[in-house]
Amino acid sequence: MLSSLVLLSTCLGLANAFYLPGVAPTDYDPDQQVPLFVNTITPGYSDSDVGHSHSREIFSYDYYNEILKFCRPEGGPKSQSESIGSILFGDRIYNSPFELFMLKNETCKTLCKTQNSVVTNSFLLGTISANYQMNWIVDGLPASGVKYQDSQTGEPFYSVGFPLGEVADDNVYLHNHYDINIEYHQSTNGKYRVVGVLVSPKSMAKNAKSCDSEEKFLLKADDKTDVTYTYSVIWTESPNIWATRWDKYLHVFNPSIHWFSLINSATIAVFLVGLVATILLRGVRKDISQYNEIDLNEEVQEDSGWKLIHGDVFRAPSHKLLLSVFLGSGAQLIVMSGITLSFSLLGLLSPSNRGSLTTVVLILYIFLGSIGGYTSATFYKTFGGESFKLLAIVTPLLVPGIIFAVFLLLNFFLIFTHSSGAVPFGTMLATVLIWFLISVPLSCVGSFVAFKKDPFKFPVRTNQIPRQIPQQPKSLNKITSTLLAGILPFGAISVELYYIYNSLWLNKLYYMFGFLFVYYGLMLLTTSAVTVLLTYFLLKNENYHWQWRSFVAAGASSFYIFLYALVYLYRSLQLKSFASYAIYIGYSLLISFIMFILTGSVGFLSSFFFTRRIYSEIKVD
Ligand SMILES: *[C@@H]1O[C@H](CO)[C@@H](O)[C@H](O)[C@H]1NC(C)=O
């Protein structure tokens, strides 16, 4: 284990060194314009300490939303080209009227004057109270509002985004002045590069004399007001080089917590797997030698235990088409997440590459359609299914279709709330087209290749007449055993889930892919260990309905993941509107469904190969 930890930290270190492979730094001459782009405004968090973050909304809004009345560039805002993943994940990037020139300090420049209507003011009031954040991008770097200092190491680190306004003594103030501090570094070729962006926003009264004024701009909901937006720019030299400029954004706050919980989970998982292996090895070996001994001595003795059901154990499960389809989709998800995590482990998908993670996930999922089709057809044929055409069509449509339908439904909610999170029609259409033009045909090809091949062979023949299943012990009750089986894989990942949820719902950057990779492995490992154990107990009790049982028991961890989402909702988010509840619950269900298919398939596959293995060891007349 020590060596794997060393390997892991090497990988983490490697990932630190290469944040942006293939993307060259931009060099600027003095006085050359450095564009400032604006992204959506997002609900934020108020504390540097992730443990106490509260957010009351989950919608983000377009910066140039009609209601907000922010200053627009001449000729109207232009959308910046983004990857499909970045759009699906909610980025809406536009240009802005800010004028930044390399090395040129500016003081108190007027951006524009606007008039806020009553609607605008009350909307701003709501968003500021909900702690909404601005998200600006300069030279690919997010603008940070606060420079924190790690209390243990003293290292500085930056938050992402800065607040739209502030609340003090029940008064709400709008930030209408921005002190933009850009850190630059002179590279060896004599040109300048941007290595840090800090924005301190400020609220300034309408008739303040200078930008140093302490008077604030009080927002009132029932009032029309003129607003003047101003900004200052300060360029400061920084010793940090371009290659490491993301480090301060990706600062791991208190890394020892992560290491501690990781080692904790790993120990539990290794212990568990060891335990299962011991039980199985001992038990199965004893059974096998007993069975084979009986056979040799030709003594007429009644068989018991799992040998007894050799004529039924590979009897095709009920609903074999559905199980095959789930297995196909599951295999697709397993391979996809494995490859994605390996990529990210190498630092290829760091948050500095906007949307790259989502894009890669999408592309991989689509191209791995062939694996899905292949797996599903192989198992369908193994189960003795005959509606090959139906299977080939259902496999690429069912699970993605469910995901897409939920996504579409949630999108209506988002459109209804005027949130920018709503995926534009064009992107939606593109996704559907890619799905039907690439993924579906690939999946069908995979299926037909598998149909041409021989299915899995079983070591024992299945009898014509199914055996009666004897009375099962209470401990193998369907619900209890499933719930028990799910809790261990969930336990292995529960700590990391908190950080993943923070990055999903609170717009925090997630970057600890090294940890995530290990957690993913631990989860798969515990899932298969627990499921194999359950299958063994089932077979021992002469219950040969292990196929669906192992799938559902392994997938049960997704049930806990959903429960965890509800706990997280209650503890870390305080949502206000019905629509935000609907969106949150909808996405959580979607995540759990995907996890169910993924872990369920892992469980089934382990049980399948386990069962095949043990029955090939015994002699049956
Ligand atoms: C801009 O102003 C800051 C603060 O006054 C100063 O430290 C910095 O050197 C100035 N930068 C340039 C390029 O003049």
Side-chain angles (χ1 to χ4, degrees), residues 103 105 184 234-236:
L103 301 189
N105 281 350
Y184 65 89
I234 290 175
W235 295 83
T236 38

Side-chain angles (χ1 to χ4, degrees), residues 561-581:
I561 291 179
F562 183 70
L563 284 189
Y564 185 86
L566 295 184
V567 172
Y568 181 86
L569 171 67
Y570 175 71
R571 294 199 38 194
S572 296
L573 299 171
Q574 300 160 345
L575 302 181
K576 273 197 294 207
S577 57
F578 169 73
S580 30
Y581 274 104

Side-chain angles (χ1 to χ4, degrees), residues 186-204:
Q186 190 167 18
S187 73
T188 42
N189 61 9
K191 307 241 177 171
Y192 298 91
R193 291 170 178 175
V194 176
V195 295
V197 182
L198 280 160
V199 176
S200 341
K202 212 167 101 171
S203 179
M204 241 175 41

Side-chain angles (χ1 to χ4, degrees), residues 101-106 181-182 184 233-237:
F101 298 100
M102 185 51 91
L103 301 189
K104 195 167 160 209
N105 281 350
E106 313 255 18
N181 180 3
I182 313 247
Y184 65 89
V233 188
I234 290 175
W235 295 83
T236 38
E237 176 137 38

Side-chain angles (χ1 to χ4, degrees), residues 423-462:
V423 173
F425 180 72
T427 314
M428 213 63 145
L429 194 70
T431 319
V432 173
L433 278 183
I434 297 172
W435 176 22
F436 273 98
L437 293 183
I438 306 177
S439 195
V440 172
L442 275 179
S443 172
C444 291
V445 169
S447 296
F448 283 107
V449 170
F451 288 145
K452 288 272 175 313
K453 274 189 27 186
D454 284 339
F456 283 113
K457 291 237 164 21
F458 293 124
V460 283
R461 268 220 317 277
T462 299

Side-chain angles (χ1 to χ4, degrees), residues 131 191 197 236 282 292 314 319 354 372 376 382 391 416 426 462 474 490 549 599 620:
N131 203 9
K191 307 241 177 171
V197 182
T236 38
R282 284 249 186 96
N292 289 346
F314 296 115
H319 309 290
R354 270 188 181 278
S376 122
T382 307
L391 178 90
F416 175 70
T462 299
K474 277 225 170 57
F490 169 76
R549 287 287 295 270
T599 47
V620 178

